[in-house]
Amino acid sequence: MKFIDLFAGLGGFRVALERLGHDCVFACEVDPQLQEIYTRNFPYGPTIHDDIRVSKKLVPPHDILCAGFPCQPFSKSGTQAGFTDETSGTLFHEILDIVKQHTPSYIILENVGNFERHDKGRTWRIVRNSLRQLGYEIRATEHVASGGEGLLSPHHLDYPHHRERFFAVASLLGVPRNSFPPRNRKAKTSMAKVVQPLDELSERDLEETRIAEQHRQCIEHWNSFLEALPEERFTLPSFPIWADEIDATYPFEHATPWARLLNAANDVAPKNGAAVTLDDFLLLPSYARRRVQRFPPWKVRFIEANRTWLSSIRKELPLDWVEELRLFPPSLRKLEWNCQGESRNLWNHILQFRPSGLRAKRYTNSPSLVAMTSTQIPILGPEQRHLTRREGLRLQGFPDSFHLPESRVATFKALGNAVHVDLVQNIAHRLVRM
């Protein structure tokens, strides 16, 4: 069958459908760099076009429409004219125009995991009903909390990549009940499946994947924290450890430090706690300097839980551990331990530096590759380095020989935006085989 590849990116939809024997007759991608990479990976054509709003008149007849479309805010002023009018100004509106003109038998859509819930479900409702008005039967993944079987992730197909995404399929011929692969929730994945051995790495790979010295020192510092708490005596908490709460005494339950500072400035006698001076306030962790009267309940619970737990293990820490911790920026003074029951050596796990702190996860699968930043590229603990480009390709189901952008930042942005090839292939096979 003939298919079109809209918002093509690296071409994950194309790789998947060509594996099934289908023929690409049109592709578009607005990023000039990705257009060039797409042409290198698919030199046999067709020519890739840019902005769909300009090139949609060039779309030829086709049987399958594939799109991992951007999710823009939908208009709330067009309800009187129906769902199609509500999509005006969005890129989904361009998809609808193509569908109206060519009425493809099948449609496959992909989006971020939160798409179904975006704008309290209104965005998905508009998309679904717009296609239904054109005669399509449609089925989509649904969150478990919504009564569905959950989103789809590569780790459900035994890939070591945890990346939950929204998928929808539509057809003029009806859609199968088993449109989506079953979630193998007991899959025993391992990063060893994708990791390149040292002798495969080029000088460029070694340079690109080197851990920043500050991050390496941070990992070692937290390792000394874990070593001080033997497993047979201490259980690590399930909540993120905020080490700034060690020995902290600032108010947090009934009023924030900011509120106490204002009271002091206005000569208001404090209640349920001491006053806060400006010098005290400036020394607080950033999350405690919010200019609000009261912290939200979740933050109060976190602070209270951290103070209670940290006070119970305080005497076990090396004498200079807290002082050395202060040398790191605030985001490195937090640890999220998701390896209960595993070795308490961070280098045995997969690590990720996030704005919320250092996260440690079991060496079973990679966290989701994030399109918006290159600073959160996972660290392979046993290898003591970041992911390589080729390992990123493998996590997304692409062949090793695939061309990628010259820049590492652009590479991981593209991989973070890409669809997982094997997930799409499985879904397309189930849909079209009817």
Side-chain angles (χ1 to χ4, degrees):
M1 291 186 179
K2 297 177 180 179
F3 71 93
I4 62 172
D5 189 6
L6 306 182
F7 319 106
L10 283 178
F13 273 111
R14 181 155 179 182
V15 175
L17 269 75
E18 286 189 346
R19 285 178 181 174
L20 294 173
H22 302 299
D23 181 26
C24 183
V25 295
F26 179 88
C28 72
E29 168 54 50
V30 73
D31 186 321
Q33 185 178 27
L34 291 183
Q35 290 175 28
E36 189 269 330
I37 293 297
Y38 193 94
T39 300
R40 291 178 64 191
N41 284 317
F42 307 102
Y44 42 87
T47 300
I48 188 167
H49 299 275
D50 51 16
D51 194 331
I52 188 61
R53 291 168 291 193
V54 176
S55 60
K56 65 182 178 182
K57 293 181 180 179
L58 303 175
V59 175
H62 55 278
D63 306 294
I64 309 170
L65 181 151
C66 301
F69 66 101
C71 174
Q72 303 154 283
F74 282 32
S75 169
K76 294 189 178 181
S77 61
T79 54
Q80 292 183 349
F83 294 109
T84 302
D85 184 65
E86 288 181 279
T87 68
S88 181
T90 70
L91 292 175
F92 181 71
H93 189 79
E94 310 304 322
I95 295 175
L96 285 181
D97 281 351
I98 294 171
V99 171
K100 290 175 186 175
Q101 181 179 357
H102 295 289
T103 59
S105 297
Y106 305 101
I107 298 171
I108 307 175
L109 304 176
E110 183 262 4
N111 215 298
V112 296
N114 195 50
F115 180 80
E116 177 204 348
R117 297 177 173 182
H118 182 261
D119 195 8
K120 299 181 179 179
R122 179 176 173 274
T123 301
W124 166 229
R125 175 178 60 84
I126 292 171
V127 168
R128 180 186 60 210
N129 289 321
S130 297
L131 291 172
R132 282 178 176 172
Q133 284 188 346
L134 297 178
Y136 286 85
E137 182 179 335
I138 187 165
R139 193 179 298 274
T141 56
E142 290 183 292
H143 284 84
V144 173
S146 301
E149 294 185 24
L151 302 174
L152 280 173
S153 168
H155 79 277
H156 293 144
L157 296 184
D158 297 340
Y159 272 82
H161 189 189
H162 193 282
R163 187 174 191 264
E164 293 188 322
R165 305 292 281 189
F166 170 90
F167 284 92
V169 294
S171 175
L172 295 171
L173 310 174
V175 295
R177 288 188 174 275
N178 62 339
S179 298
F180 305 109
R183 286 76 165 166
N184 183 1
R185 306 192 189 280
K186 296 183 179 180
K188 294 184 178 180
T189 59
S190 171
M191 287 300 295
K193 183 176 181 179
V194 302
V195 170
Q196 292 180 262
L198 180 62
D199 59 10
E200 265 190 24
L201 304 187
S202 66
E203 289 298 321
R204 181 186 186 186
D205 291 329
L206 293 172
E207 177 62 29
E208 287 185 340
T209 61
R210 184 175 291 115
I211 301 171
E213 185 57 31
Q214 185 184 57
H215 284 177
R216 182 177 291 277
Q217 291 174 2
C218 176
I219 293 169
E220 294 291 3
H221 193 65
W222 277 108
N223 251 349
S224 66
F225 175 93
L226 297 174
E227 290 169 6
L229 305 175
E231 189 172 355
E232 61 272 14
R233 293 176 53 207
F234 298 96
T235 300
L236 296 177
S238 57
F239 51 81
I241 299 170
W242 293 1
D244 279 316
E245 294 306 313
I246 296 176
D247 302 332
T249 59
Y250 66 84
F252 70 95
E253 293 177 295
H254 305 292
T256 65
W258 172 252
R260 294 294 171 83
L261 181 62
L262 290 181
N263 286 342
N266 295 323
D267 292 325
V268 176
K271 296 180 180 180
N272 300 316
V276 173
T277 68
L278 180 59
D279 288 341
D280 293 335
F281 183 79
L282 294 177
L283 291 174
L284 296 176
S286 56
Y287 60 80
R289 296 198 305 269
R290 292 292 304 276
R291 299 188 176 193
V292 294
Q293 292 291 320
R294 301 196 68 168
F295 289 135
W298 70 266
K299 183 176 284 189
V300 171
R301 291 194 300 270
F302 263 57
I303 293 173
E304 183 176 29
N306 266 281
R307 288 194 185 180
T308 300
W309 185 78
L310 289 167
S311 65
S312 73
I313 59 93
R314 177 68 173 92
K315 63 181 181 180
E316 307 295 329
L317 299 181
L319 292 176
D320 56 354
W321 192 88
V322 176
E323 287 69 26
E324 291 180 7
L325 179 77
R326 308 298 185 203
L327 301 177
F328 293 103
S331 64
L332 304 190
R333 301 201 291 262
K334 298 178 182 178
L335 174 66
E336 186 177 338
W337 178 259
N338 293 333
C339 306
Q340 295 291 4
E342 302 288 336
S343 160
R344 291 193 180 179
N345 182 345
L346 289 170
W347 293 117
N348 290 336
H349 307 294
I350 191 158
L351 309 173
Q352 189 178 32
F353 283 98
R354 301 161 57 88
S356 57
L358 171 59
R359 175 182 287 180
K361 297 178 71 68
R362 291 180 175 86
Y363 204 64
T364 53
N365 53 66
S366 169
S368 179
L369 299 183
V370 181
M372 300 305 293
T373 176
S374 62
T375 60
Q376 295 184 35
I377 297 173
I379 292 172
L380 304 173
E383 307 297 321
Q384 297 201 13
R385 61 169 174 79
H386 288 278
L387 285 171
T388 66
R389 297 163 182 253
R390 181 171 294 180
E391 289 160 349
L393 281 172
R394 292 174 179 177
L395 288 174
Q396 286 288 58
F398 287 93
D400 285 2
S401 59
F402 224 62
H403 295 288
L404 287 166
E406 182 66 22
S407 158
R408 180 171 170 85
V409 171
T411 287
F412 277 90
K413 178 181 178 181
L415 287 169
N417 278 323
V419 296
H420 191 276
V421 173
D422 280 59
L423 273 180
V424 171
Q425 182 176 338
N426 192 303
I427 292 168
H429 173 69
R430 290 166 179 272
L431 177 66
V432 176
R433 69 182 178 181
M434 291 185 62

